[in-house]
Amino acid sequence: IMKREDTLIRLVVLIFINGCVNTLILVLTISEIARNPNNILATPQQLPFVTTSPELTILYISVGIILSIVSSLAFFPKRIVSPFYAQITTATILITIIYTLSFAVRPPVITADFLIGIMFGSGIIYGILGGVGWLQGWICKL
């Protein structure tokens, strides 16, 4: 029983660490892209960040895969530390940072439209990062 609990605690801690590292990279990437307004503005044929800064997108995806593989080496027998869970953790941390900073600057007026906007924005972040995590997990299993 103790070995299972040790494995579970190690897995949760590694997923949280991977999520924190992903968040740090994502925040630094977004701040770097925001410094250059030419990279933010995309034409209708381009996806922001993906086609305007492909090197940063590839770096972010690669770092998540490498973190997952390196974290998986902490287990014997081998157990994959899911990049999907790390990305969901990243989304949670990122949403907390975004809303905390924006609410500190300008306290919101709580209305139904505001709550719908919060849910919609959070859903988009979870959807995008969940898709990235699924892609990373698929690559890790190859």
Side-chain angles (χ1 to χ4, degrees):
I1 294 175
M2 199 63 131
K3 178 140 176 84
R4 282 188 307 189
E5 290 175 0
D6 176 56
T7 302
L8 179 63
I9 290 171
R10 192 178 330 156
L11 182 64
V12 169
V13 168
L14 287 172
I15 287 171
F16 185 73
I17 290 171
N18 288 356
C20 289
V21 170
N22 283 336
T23 304
L24 178 66
I25 293 170
L26 196 57
V27 167
L28 292 175
T29 300
I30 291 171
S31 67
E32 184 63 33
I33 290 173
R35 287 183 198 175
N36 186 359
N38 296 330
N39 286 339
I40 295 175
L41 302 173
T43 63
Q45 293 83 18
Q46 292 180 319
L47 294 171
F49 302 122
V50 177
T51 57
T52 56
S53 301
E55 65 280 352
L56 294 176
T57 304
I58 291 170
L59 176 70
Y60 181 75
I61 292 173
S62 300
V63 166
I65 292 168
I66 291 168
L67 282 172
S68 177
I69 291 171
V70 169
S71 298
S72 297
L73 297 175
F75 294 99
F76 183 79
K78 185 180 175 194
R79 182 178 180 136
I80 294 176
V81 177
S82 175
F84 177 76
Y85 294 145
Q87 290 297 338
I88 296 300
T89 304
T90 301
T92 303
I93 295 169
L94 186 64
I95 288 169
T96 303
I97 290 170
I98 290 170
Y99 292 146
T100 301
L101 290 177
S102 66
F103 295 164
V105 172
R106 183 171 175 241
V109 176
I110 308 295
T111 62
D113 290 338
F114 171 77
L115 294 176
I116 290 170
I118 292 284
M119 290 188 313
F120 184 72
S122 299
I124 287 174
I125 293 172
Y126 276 114
I128 291 171
L129 291 179
V132 168
W134 177 82
L135 175 68
Q136 289 172 331
W138 181 74
I139 292 171
C140 283
K141 291 178 185 176
L142 292 179

